[in-house]
C-alpha cells in the first residue's frame, strides 16, 4: 500500500532507537542524578536555604523537599503522558486528516502512564503527611486544639466511606481508577491501531472513533478531579472553580510542546518524510494558541480573586507574590509561558521553522514545570522551597526517564499507521 498516486513514501518505517541516542539520554539522566545527589546532601547538611526552623507549624526536614519534588514531577510528566493519549483521541473525534502520520507519535507518550501510576501511588503512600495537610487525623478531632472545621467539612471527599482522619480510601480509589482507565484506554488504542496495520479497511477507524469518544468523556471528568486531588488539595482551605481547566491547560501546552519536539526530532533523523512544513505549522499553531489559552485561564483566576479581594481567596496569591522564594517565579512563569511564545511564534514563518519551535517548546516545558512548582511547593514547603540542585536534578532524571520510555515504546511498532484511511489527505495537506 506504499503507492498513493504520485506519492512513494515508506510506510513500513520504524524508529531505530540507536545506542548513540540512548547514550545521550542516559548522560542527561546521570547528570540529573548527580545534581539531585548534590541537592540532597546540601539539604541534609543545611546548605542552600533550608536552615529555616518551622514550616507550617512543625520542624522542617530535608526529605520534605525531596517529596515535594517527586510530586511536582509526577504530576507534570503524568500530564504530558495523558495529553499524548488525549490529543490522539481528539484526532479521531474530530475526524482529522492532517495528523494521520503523526498519531503514533502522540500515542507513544502514553507508554509512561503505567510507570507514572506506580510512582504517583507510591509517592502518595510514602509522603502523604508531608505533602497534604488534610492527611493529619487531629484536624478531624473536635476535641483537639488543632481541629479545623473547614477541612472537617471537606473530609468526606478524601476519606469516605471510612472515618475521617483514618485512611483516605476515596482519594486513593480515585487515583487508582483514573490511572487504571487511562492505561486501559491507551492499551485499547494501541491494540486497535495494530489491528488496522495488519488488516486494513476503514472499520478500525470507526471503532477507534467510538472508543476515543468514551475516553474523552472520561478524561474530561478525571483530568479535572485529578487536578483537585493532586494539586488543589495541597492548599486545603483554598479552592478555585476553574482549577481543573487551569491544570489541564498547563498539561496540554506541555504535552503539545513534547509532541512537537518529538516530531521535529524524528524528521531530523530522516523519518516521517510525508510530514511537511504545513504539518509543522499546525503543531506550531496549537502550541501558540494554547499558550494564550493557558494565559487566559491564569489571568481569569488571578483577576477575579484580585478584585473580589476576599481574604480566604487572596491568600493563595499573597503567599506567592509576597514571598522572597516564589515571588520572582510568578513573573518568570508568565514571561516563559506567555510573552515568549506569544512574541516568538506570532509570525507565520516562525511556526513553520523547526529552529523556532525547538526553542519555544523546550522553554515551554521548563516554563510549565515552573508553573507546577508554583502550585505545589508553597503549600508543602512554605519558605523552605526554591529551585536548586535538587529541583534541576530531579527534573532531568524524570525527563530523561520519560524520553527513554517513550522512545522505546515508539521503536517497537511501525512509526506510521499505514492503513489509516486519511493518509492521502494528509500528504496533500497545505495551509
Amino acid at each position: 500500500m506504499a503507492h498513493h498516486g504520485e506519492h512513494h513514501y515508506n510506510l513500513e518505517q520504524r524508529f531505530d532507537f540507536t545506542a548513540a541516542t540512548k547514550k545521550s539520554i542516559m548522560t542527561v539522566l546521570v547528570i540529573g542524578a548527580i545534581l539531585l545527589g548534590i541537592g540532597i546532601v546540601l539539604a541534609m547538611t543545611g546548605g542552600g536555604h533550608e536552615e529555616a526552623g518551622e514550616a507550617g507549624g512543625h520542624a522542617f526536614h530535608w526529605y520534605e523537599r525531596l517529596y515535594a519534588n517527586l510530586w511536582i514531577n509526577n504530576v507534570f510528566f503524568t500530564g504530558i503522558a495523558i495529553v499524548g493519549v488525549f490529543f490522539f483521541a481528539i484526532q479521531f473525534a474530530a475526524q482529522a486528516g492532517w495528523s494521520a502520520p503523526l498519531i503514533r507519535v502522540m500515542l507513544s507518550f502514553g507508554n509512561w502512564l503505567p510507570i507514572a501510576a506506580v510512582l504517583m501511588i507510591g509517592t502518595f503512600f510514602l509522603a502523604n503527611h508531608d505533602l497534604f495537610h488534610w492527611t493529619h487525623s487531629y484536624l478531624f478531632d473536635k476535641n483537639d486544639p488543632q481541629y479545623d472545621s473547614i477541612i472537617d467539612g471537606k473530609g468526606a471527599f478524601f476519606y469516605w466511606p471510612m472515618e475521617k482522619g483514618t485512611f483516605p480510601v476515596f482519594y486513593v480509589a480515585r487515583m487508582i481508577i483514573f490511572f487504571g482507565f487511562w492505561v486501559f484506554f491507551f492499551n485499547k488504542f494501541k491494540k486497535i491501531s495494530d489491528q488496522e496495520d495488519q488488516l486494513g479497511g476503514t472499520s478500525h477507524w470507526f471503532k477507534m472513533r467510538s472508543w476515543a469518544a468514551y475516553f474523552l468523556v472520561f478524561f474530561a471528568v478525571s483530568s479535572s478531579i485529578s487536578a483537585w486531588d493532586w494539586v488543589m488539595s495541597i492548599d486545603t482551605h483554598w479552592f478555585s472553580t476553574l482549577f481543573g481547566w487551569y491544570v489541564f491547560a498547563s498539561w496540554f501546552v506541555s504535552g503539545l510542546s513534547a509532541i512537537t519536539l518529538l516530531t521535529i526530532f524524528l524528521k531530523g533523523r530522516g523519518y516521517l518524510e510525508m510530514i511537511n512544513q504545513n504539518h509543522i505549522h499546525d503543531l506550531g499553531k496549537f502550541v501558540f494558541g494554547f499558550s494564550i489559552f493557558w494565559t487566559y485561564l491564569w489571568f481569569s483566576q488571578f483577576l477575579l480573586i484580585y478584585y473580589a479581594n476576599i481574604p480566604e481567596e487572596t491568600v493563595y496569591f499573597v503567599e506567592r507574590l509576597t514571598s522572597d522564594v516564589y515571588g520572582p517565579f510568578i513573573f518568570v512563569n508568565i514571561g516563559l509561558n506567555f510573552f515568549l511564545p506569544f512574541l516568538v511564534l506570532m509570525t507565520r514563518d516562525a511556526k513553520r521553522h523547526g529552529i523556532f519551535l525547538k526553542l519555544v517548546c523546550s522553554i515551554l516545558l521548563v516554563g510549565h514545570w515552573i508553573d507546577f512548582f508554583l502550585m505545589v511547593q508553597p503549600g508543602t514547603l512554605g519558605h523552605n522551597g526554591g529551585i536548586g540542585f535538587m529541583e534541576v536534578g530531579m527534573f532531568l532524571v524524570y525527563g530523561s526517564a520519560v524520553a527513554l520510555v517513550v522512545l522505546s515504546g515508539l521503536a517497537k511498532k511501525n512509526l506510521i499507521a499505514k492503513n489509516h484511511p486519511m493518509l492521502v489527505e494528509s500528504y496533500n495537506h497545505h495551509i
Side-chain angles (χ1 to χ4, degrees):
M1 285 293 288
H3 308 294
H4 292 285
E6 73 280 18
H7 303 289
H8 303 286
Y9 295 124
N10 170 21
L11 296 182
E12 300 290 344
Q13 59 186 275
R14 280 194 174 206
F15 170 60
D16 178 22
F17 196 6
T18 57
T21 313
K22 282 182 185 156
K23 192 176 168 188
S24 308
I25 297 172
M26 287 306 290
T27 309
V28 176
L29 201 146
V30 170
I31 293 168
I34 292 167
L35 291 174
L36 178 58
I38 295 171
I40 290 172
V41 171
L42 283 175
M44 289 170 81
T45 54
H49 39 232
E50 287 97 353
E51 312 90 10
E54 300 289 309
H58 65 278
F60 177 75
H61 302 293
W62 66 270
Y63 53 78
E64 292 172 40
R65 185 156 174 182
L66 183 71
Y67 294 160
N69 278 312
L70 278 169
W71 200 254
I72 294 165
N73 288 291
N74 280 342
V75 174
F76 179 69
F77 287 104
T78 298
I80 289 176
I82 193 61
V83 162
V85 182
F86 166 74
F87 201 46
F88 172 91
I90 285 281
Q91 308 309 318
F92 285 90
Q95 307 185 40
W98 70 274
S99 54
L102 286 176
I103 53 172
R104 297 268 166 95
V105 176
M106 299 166 192
L107 193 60
S108 65
F109 284 92
N111 285 298
W112 179 251
L113 284 171
I115 299 166
V118 172
L119 285 168
M120 189 73 115
I121 294 163
T123 307
F124 180 75
F125 279 110
L126 175 72
N128 57 22
H129 287 316
D130 296 306
L131 292 173
F132 296 99
H133 183 53
W134 56 261
T135 55
H136 298 284
S137 54
Y138 57 74
L139 298 167
F140 305 98
D141 179 5
K142 288 192 168 68
N143 303 317
D144 193 289
Q146 288 177 289
Y147 170 72
D148 189 316
S149 60
I150 294 175
I151 298 178
D152 190 23
K154 298 182 181 189
F157 184 65
F158 304 118
Y159 290 103
W160 180 88
M162 301 268 281
E163 192 183 329
K164 285 182 271 195
T166 50
F167 178 74
V169 179
F170 201 23
Y171 181 94
V172 173
R174 281 196 298 271
M175 195 182 273
I176 292 168
I177 288 165
F178 293 166
F179 274 110
F181 274 103
W182 290 348
V183 171
F184 163 76
F185 279 112
F186 165 66
N187 286 324
K188 190 78 187 167
F189 291 152
K190 261 201 326 195
K191 191 175 155 199
I192 300 171
S193 212
D194 289 348
Q195 289 170 342
E196 183 185 74
D197 269 7
Q198 290 155 15
L199 305 167
T202 54
S203 63
H204 297 97
W205 184 89
F206 285 103
K207 191 172 175 189
M208 192 82 89
R209 192 162 164 239
S210 55
W211 275 104
Y214 298 135
F215 169 74
L216 290 171
V217 172
F218 181 76
F219 178 77
V221 176
S222 57
S223 65
S224 245
I225 297 177
S226 61
W228 309 337
D229 276 358
W230 304 343
V231 186
M232 196 167 76
S233 78
I234 289 170
D235 298 273
T236 317
H237 278 204
W238 182 82
F239 64 91
S240 159
T241 44
L242 62 70
F243 202 79
W245 271 110
Y246 176 70
V247 168
F248 163 73
S250 204
W251 274 352
F252 197 42
V253 177
S254 313
L256 288 169
S257 299
I259 290 164
T260 306
L261 284 173
L262 182 49
T263 304
I264 294 169
F265 165 78
L266 290 168
K267 262 205 82 61
R269 293 296 170 96
Y271 301 102
L272 302 176
E273 63 276 18
M274 67 288 292
I275 295 289
N276 56 41
Q277 278 197 321
N278 298 293
H279 301 87
I280 301 295
H281 188 169
D282 269 345
L283 288 170
K285 282 192 289 193
F286 269 108
V287 171
F288 176 72
F290 279 95
S291 290
I292 295 170
F293 176 68
W294 171 86
T295 314
Y296 154 70
L297 289 171
W298 186 94
F299 190 68
S300 303
Q301 180 167 281
F302 177 80
L303 186 72
L304 287 169
I305 287 172
Y306 173 82
Y307 77 62
N309 207 8
I310 302 168
E312 53 265 39
E313 291 180 358
T314 53
V315 62
Y316 186 82
F317 287 104
V318 170
E319 71 179 13
R320 283 159 174 76
L321 281 165
T322 56
S323 153
D324 296 338
V325 183
Y326 308 107
F329 286 109
I330 293 264
F331 300 98
V332 170
N333 189 18
I334 298 164
L336 293 185
N337 296 329
F338 171 62
F339 286 107
L340 188 123
F342 182 68
L343 296 172
V344 175
L345 292 182
M346 181 93 74
T347 63
R348 181 173 193 264
D349 283 348
K351 293 194 274 285
R352 294 174 78 84
H353 286 100
I355 184 78
F356 287 111
L357 284 170
K358 269 189 221 172
L359 174 75
V360 170
C361 292
S362 307
I363 289 173
L364 278 172
L365 284 171
V366 174
H368 282 284
W369 181 91
I370 289 173
D371 192 24
F372 279 95
F373 156 82
L374 282 171
M375 289 186 235
V376 172
Q377 273 208 16
T380 50
L381 303 180
H383 55 274
N384 298 299
I387 293 184
F389 286 115
M390 200 190 284
E391 282 69 22
V392 176
M394 184 84 84
F395 178 60
L396 293 177
V397 167
Y398 263 83
S400 38
V402 171
L404 283 170
V405 169
V406 168
L407 292 176
S408 304
L410 198 59
K412 285 181 184 147
K413 294 278 188 307
N414 280 5
L415 203 50
I416 292 165
K418 61 183 180 184
N419 291 326
H420 193 291
M422 299 194 191
L423 273 177
V424 183
E425 180 185 332
S426 170
Y427 300 155
N428 298 310
H429 179 53
H430 184 78
I431 45 173

